Amino acid sequence: PFEGAAFTDEYKRKRIRECEQFERQKKEIYSVLNQHSDGNDVRVLDFFRIKSRYYMCMEKVNDLGLTVEQIYAMDWADRLRLCTSIAHAVAGLHQGRMIHADLKHDNILYTYTQGRRITAKVIDFDSSFLETNPPKDGEEIVGDQLYFSPEAREFMDGQPVPLTCKMDVFALGILFHQYLGGSLPLYDRTRFHYPADVVLSGQSLDVVPEMPAQVADLLRQMLQGDPGRRPT
């Protein structure tokens, strides 16, 4: 609460407790992030409060502003390399049992390496949490529902389902299909708003026909409804 605000002492104490809990959670998440990132996850350099606002500082990334269409227009080998770098970044988080929870194209920045090759940087950990400290209710799940896993959708609806790192694997399945196939996974857009709804209805998401068989098989595994059957 900001100084001079006309709040009761009881309300101030309540809000301060909430702030202290927020600080502890963020510091724990950022510590795991920094420990397990080797560069593709953009590290948090500082997290602090000034008066009634919190600030988080990260390395500035000179983003190339690539669209999904521009990435899809790249050579196949370059697209695979970008997907591999993103998977590598997310694998680092998962080693620390940290769930990004909002993986999507807008949260991936693209920049040049010193060798002038394009690489990916994962950002925006505002929605992230640890498997050991998941959200308490569905209102705490925030992000783009286009990339939500089936279990995230169920949790939002009040079902007591476990939330694990496999949430991110489902999101990556959608993102990688955009980069490698040029579109979202295939489903009936007139019946379903989001890919997760397709899976929850008992149907499967499919990949574009021109996808190489090995990659198509991997994407289908990533987009399964059962988190335990998705690859790491």
Side-chain angles (χ1 to χ4, degrees):
F2 57 89
E3 296 178 6
F7 297 140
T8 64
D9 289 342
E10 181 181 355
Y11 180 79
K12 285 183 180 179
R13 287 193 293 270
K14 178 178 180 292
R15 292 305 305 273
I16 288 173
R17 286 195 299 271
E18 292 174 353
C19 290
E20 289 173 343
Q21 181 182 7
F22 174 82
E23 286 186 31
R24 286 193 298 270
Q25 290 176 339
K26 290 299 181 183
K27 288 178 178 178
E28 184 179 23
I29 289 170
Y30 296 155
S31 175
V32 172
L33 165 66
N34 290 345
Q35 178 183 351
H36 291 276
S37 172
D38 58 4
N40 286 101
D41 296 298
V42 182
R43 295 184 181 92
V44 173
L45 303 181
D46 203 356
F47 172 69
F48 55 92
R49 179 180 63 85
I50 296 180
K51 296 183 178 179
S52 63
R53 295 185 181 274
Y54 287 97
Y55 298 86
M56 183 260 286
C57 298
M58 309 179 82
E59 168 195 1
K60 183 179 186 299
V61 177
N62 294 315
D63 181 35
L64 297 174
L66 297 177
T67 64
V68 171
E69 293 75 17
Q70 288 173 316
I71 293 175
Y72 180 60
M74 293 180 179
D75 291 339
W76 176 257
D78 290 333
R79 284 181 278 157
L80 278 181
R81 181 169 45 80
L82 289 179
C83 290
T84 301
S85 66
I86 297 168
H88 173 78
V90 176
L93 302 180
H94 291 182
Q95 286 178 359
R97 301 184 69 185
M98 176 178 168
I99 303 167
H100 185 287
D102 194 20
L103 290 168
K104 57 184 177 181
H105 175 68
D106 291 346
N107 286 340
I108 310 291
L109 301 183
Y110 291 95
T111 189
Y112 286 115
T113 66
Q114 290 183 346
R116 299 299 292 173
R117 301 182 75 179
I118 297 176
T119 190
K121 300 274 189 176
V122 177
I123 62 165
D124 197 344
F125 304 96
D126 293 342
S127 303
S128 301
F129 57 91
L130 302 181
E131 279 189 340
T132 54
N133 188 21
K136 302 299 185 293
D137 59 66
E139 293 183 356
E140 297 181 45
I141 298 288
V142 295
D144 190 333
Q145 294 195 46
L146 188 65
Y147 296 86
F148 274 10
S149 65
E151 60 270 27
R153 294 278 289 171
E154 289 178 317
F155 191 84
M156 290 178 64
D157 291 338
Q159 299 186 42
V161 296
L163 300 177
T164 70
C165 292
K166 296 299 183 71
M167 288 174 56
D168 288 343
V169 176
F170 188 90
L172 287 182
I174 296 172
L175 180 67
F176 290 172
H177 192 281
Q178 288 181 289
Y179 289 170
L180 301 174
S183 69
L184 293 171
L186 304 182
Y187 64 93
D188 187 350
R189 310 285 176 82
T190 63
R191 289 187 57 198
F192 302 101
H193 290 293
Y194 305 113
D197 294 336
V198 179
V199 178
L200 289 173
S201 75
Q203 299 185 37
S204 299
L205 297 164
D206 207 352
V207 301
V208 293
E210 59 270 23
M211 191 78 71
Q214 188 176 11
V215 177
D217 289 344
L218 177 59
L219 292 178
R220 290 191 185 101
Q221 292 176 41
M222 296 172 75
L223 295 170
Q224 291 184 92
D226 182 356
R229 299 183 65 184
R230 295 176 204 147
T232 61

